[in-house]
Amino acid sequence: MSGLYLRLSVDDSVDLAAIPSRNKARSAILQALTVATPRSPDAGRMAEISLAFVSNAEITQLNTHYRQQKKPTNCLSFPQDPLPPVFRRDLLGDIVIAPAVVLQEAAEQGKTLLNHYRHLLIHSTLHLLGYDHMEDHEAQIMEQLETRLLAEMGVADPYLNQIHE
C-alpha cells in the first residue's frame, strides 16, 4: 500500500480539542493498513477513507438505523462494496466517530484520549478491511491483531482489565 487519502469532516457541534490531529488519526489508520487482506489496497495504490467526527445525536441516528440500537456508540464503520478502483485509489469506506462518547470512555477506562482514539481508528479500519467480531473466534483474532498493532505504536493492550459485553 502506497499511501492514504483521508477525507476528514467534523460536525459543527464537535469540540476540536476533543479529536486527534489529522496526522495522529492518519498514523493510526496507516498502522491498520499494514495488515494484508483481500480488501487491502494493492501495493503502490492509495487507500481512500472518509473519517467523520459527529455529534451523539448523529451517531445515535446511524446506530439506530444500521444496528437497531437506539443509543450512541463510539464508532461505526461502513465498508465500501468492492468496486474497481477510481482515480488510482481503493475506496475502503467510511469511519464515523462520536468524540463525546470516546472522551467519556477514555475517562471511565483510565486511558489517554489519544490512545483510545488510536485503538478505535485501528479497530474501525480493520472492519473496512473485512475483519469482524460477531463470533467469538473472529473477536479473538481481531483483538489480538489490534493489540499487536497498538503495541507497535507503543500503546498498551486496550483489552486488559476490561469486561466484555
Side-chain angles (χ1 to χ4, degrees):
M1 203 270 308
S2 170
L4 173 65
Y5 180 81
L6 183 62
R7 284 186 196 267
L8 182 64
S9 64
V10 181
D11 188 89
D12 289 340
S13 66
V14 171
D15 178 6
L16 294 177
I19 64 173
S21 71
R22 180 183 199 77
N23 286 340
K24 293 201 184 309
R26 180 184 186 78
S27 174
I29 291 169
L30 284 169
Q31 180 70 5
L33 290 176
T34 64
V35 176
T37 71
R39 292 252 321 142
S40 296
D42 295 332
R45 295 190 67 83
M46 295 276 288
E48 181 174 345
I49 293 175
S50 171
L51 173 60
F53 294 96
V54 302
S55 67
N56 276 7
E58 187 167 349
I59 202 126
T60 298
Q61 182 180 8
L62 291 169
N63 203 24
T64 302
H65 181 78
Y66 291 101
R67 297 178 63 224
Q68 293 71 53
Q69 295 184 22
K70 192 174 183 174
K71 63 181 182 177
T73 187
N74 53 21
C75 61
L76 294 169
S77 298
F78 299 97
Q80 173 69 40
D81 292 331
L83 296 171
V86 179
F87 304 117
R88 296 188 312 259
R89 294 193 291 256
D90 291 308
L91 179 59
L92 295 181
D94 304 324
I95 297 171
V96 183
I97 297 180
V101 175
V102 177
L103 189 62
Q104 180 180 346
E105 287 177 347
E108 290 171 353
Q109 297 171 16
K111 298 177 181 176
T112 68
L113 184 58
L114 177 58
N115 285 347
H116 194 40
Y117 269 118
R118 285 176 171 151
H119 179 210
L120 294 174
L121 288 164
I122 286 173
H123 179 89
S124 296
T125 303
L126 290 176
H127 276 305
L128 298 183
L129 294 175
Y131 286 88
D132 209 339
H133 47 80
M134 297 302 287
E135 303 292 330
D136 287 342
H137 71 280
E138 293 172 330
Q140 184 177 15
I141 291 168
M142 196 167 172
E143 287 177 13
Q144 288 174 350
L145 187 53
E146 291 168 17
T147 300
R148 179 180 63 81
L149 292 169
L150 287 163
E152 290 172 4
M153 296 181 80
V155 179
D157 184 340
Y159 295 105
L160 288 180
N161 302 320
Q162 281 195 31
I163 299 170
H164 295 281
E165 296 177 6

